[in-house]
Amino acid sequence: MLDSLSASLTVASSGLEAQSTRMRIVSENLANATSTGRAAGADPYQRKTITFDAAMDRASGAQLAKVKEIGVDTTPYRVEYDPGHPAADKAGYVKLPNVNMMIEMADMREVNRSYEANLQVVKQVRSMLGMSIDLLRS
């Protein structure tokens, strides 16, 4: 029983770590949603993406959530006419990041729920381990 509880704790902690990284990526995207290039015609901030993979933990025999890759979104930049902007090209157009605030907010909500679910598993396992120790004492 303790092995399965330990494996549950290992899986949940890997989920917490993965979702924490995902939250950092979403936060970077939100923080840079309006970051344009520094020079005229330069490319702005490019939205980051994250992919996960399952990895076998040999010690516990459990599948763990691991960050596979942090990449960039290749969707085209938004373009806006603003000839007075320092990053505007000769035609007066400014390239804006390919960050969609609605998608990022939805991702943030999903990350938050996933993180809370993993945290709840950790709390339940700790409680069950405590009860097991109490039973062994009696």
Side-chain angles (χ1 to χ4, degrees), residues 86-97:
D89 61 12
K90 293 183 192 238
Y93 289 95
V94 178
K95 291 181 191 176
L96 299 172

Side-chain angles (χ1 to χ4, degrees), residues 25-136:
I25 297 300
V26 170
S27 297
E28 285 179 25
N29 289 339
L30 286 170
N32 289 294
T34 59
S35 298
T36 60
R38 295 179 187 257
D43 286 342
Y45 174 81
Q46 194 168 13
R47 179 180 181 260
K48 290 183 181 179
T49 60
I50 187 168
T51 54
F52 297 105
D53 197 11
M56 176 64 88
D57 180 41
R58 294 182 194 267
S60 65
Q63 292 279 347
L64 306 181
K66 295 288 182 189
V67 174
K68 181 179 182 181
E69 178 183 18
I70 296 176
V72 291
D73 187 352
T74 58
T75 57
Y77 298 117
R78 295 177 293 131
V79 180
E80 193 174 277
Y81 183 72
D82 188 1
H85 196 284
D89 61 12
K90 293 183 192 238
Y93 289 95
V94 178
K95 291 181 191 176
L96 299 172
N98 56 353
V99 175
N100 181 329
M101 297 291 276
M102 294 299 285
I103 290 173
E104 299 304 322
M105 293 305 290
D107 280 353
M108 184 177 283
R109 180 177 291 168
E110 185 179 326
V111 169
N112 191 35
R113 287 184 179 160
S114 296
Y115 190 90
E116 286 177 0
N118 282 301
L119 193 58
Q120 190 62 33
V121 169
V122 170
K123 288 178 181 178
Q124 288 296 327
V125 169
R126 284 182 55 198
S127 173
M128 292 174 77
L129 285 171
M131 287 188 281
S132 297
I133 290 171
D134 289 343
L135 282 173
L136 292 172

Side-chain angles (χ1 to χ4, degrees), residues 4 13 117:
S4 59
S13 64

